[in-house]
Amino acid sequence: MAAYKEIVAKSIIGKGKKSFKNNYEIEVEETPSTVLGCWVINHKFKGYKTGDQVGVNGSFDVNIWYSYDNDSKTMVANKKIEYTDTFNVRLRSNADLSEDTDIIVRTLYQPNCSDVKIDGNKIHFMIEKELGVEIVGEMKMKIAIEEEEDPWDIIEDDVKEEDLEKIDEEVNEEYL
């Protein structure tokens, strides 16, 4: 009959990803003629536990380069966008979100501007992003161990006692 030992280790107990498409707008002083570019920078985020869900608080900056006055002048509009997203991450069996659980959030697809429209002095734009969440918690495993260990094998040296004495004599002659 085998004996068992219980091992406690950190392991991924839940994992999931979610894509987001959100619409925003920014109002500018001049009436834009054309949007020349849109950049999303400074993406920061942090995951946390909220009940049976995982939440992510984050922010990023959007810079929209546009022309106005019949495409004769340009300007850049800036906006900091803060967001809160939630995930329903399915946990592996016998796992739960406890105080010891670590939430790891990764950006799988960086926030990117996918659609821009001009409406008077307002610029409407869509931001797409994809976030991945890993939940790391403690897992317990039972492993079978042998009660009796196999005996140690005796290893015979190939060197004979006579050879060792001969080596000792040669070393003594050389260094003395």
Side-chain angles (χ1 to χ4, degrees):
M1 183 171 171
Y4 291 92
K5 286 199 176 199
E6 193 170 70
I7 297 175
V8 178
K10 291 265 187 182
S11 175
I12 295 175
I13 59 173
K15 187 175 184 177
K17 67 180 181 176
K18 189 173 180 181
S19 296
F20 300 91
K21 290 183 181 181
N22 301 97
N23 292 308
Y24 304 97
E25 72 178 26
I26 187 169
E27 191 168 345
V28 293
E29 291 179 19
E30 306 82 9
T31 303
S33 304
T34 309
V35 173
L36 303 171
C38 181
W39 294 269
V40 182
I41 59 173
N42 299 328
H43 187 210
K44 298 174 183 153
F45 50 87
K46 182 170 175 59
Y48 60 93
K49 181 181 76 139
T50 172
D52 291 339
Q53 294 182 324
V54 173
V56 178
N57 285 337
S59 68
F60 51 83
D61 296 328
V62 177
N63 297 314
I64 298 177
W65 181 33
Y66 64 95
S67 66
Y68 63 98
D69 200 16
N70 292 326
D71 292 332
S72 63
K73 299 176 184 174
T74 65
M75 183 69 78
V76 175
N78 303 351
K79 184 172 186 173
K80 181 175 185 159
I81 297 175
E82 295 183 355
Y83 65 88
T84 300
D85 295 322
T86 57
F87 290 77
N88 288 319
V89 180
R90 189 174 51 209
L91 300 176
R92 297 206 166 96
S93 62
N94 300 333
D96 63 338
L97 289 174
S98 67
E99 295 300 319
D100 297 336
T101 305
D102 296 326
I103 308 293
I104 300 170
V105 181
R106 290 189 174 88
T107 302
L108 303 178
Y109 180 71
Q110 288 289 343
N112 193 23
C113 187
S114 62
D115 187 29
V116 179
K117 293 180 182 158
I118 299 172
D119 181 19
N121 283 19
K122 294 181 182 178
I123 301 174
H124 299 272
F125 55 97
M126 180 186 291
I127 301 292
E128 294 181 10
K129 68 180 181 294
E130 185 174 60
L131 300 175
V133 174
E134 290 178 330
I135 302 170
V136 178
E138 289 186 352
M139 294 286 292
K140 292 182 181 180
M141 300 174 278
K142 288 187 178 182
I143 60 167
I145 59 169
E146 295 181 23
E147 289 185 4
E148 292 183 27
E149 190 175 315
D150 292 334
W152 291 86
D153 293 334
I154 298 173
I155 301 171
E156 297 288 332
D157 286 334
D158 294 338
V159 180
K160 297 178 187 168
E161 188 66 34
E162 302 165 355
D163 294 335
L164 289 175
E165 288 175 5
K166 186 177 179 184
I167 291 172
D168 284 343
E169 288 175 11
E170 290 175 2
V171 169
N172 286 338
E173 287 176 11
E174 189 174 318
Y175 290 104
L176 291 178

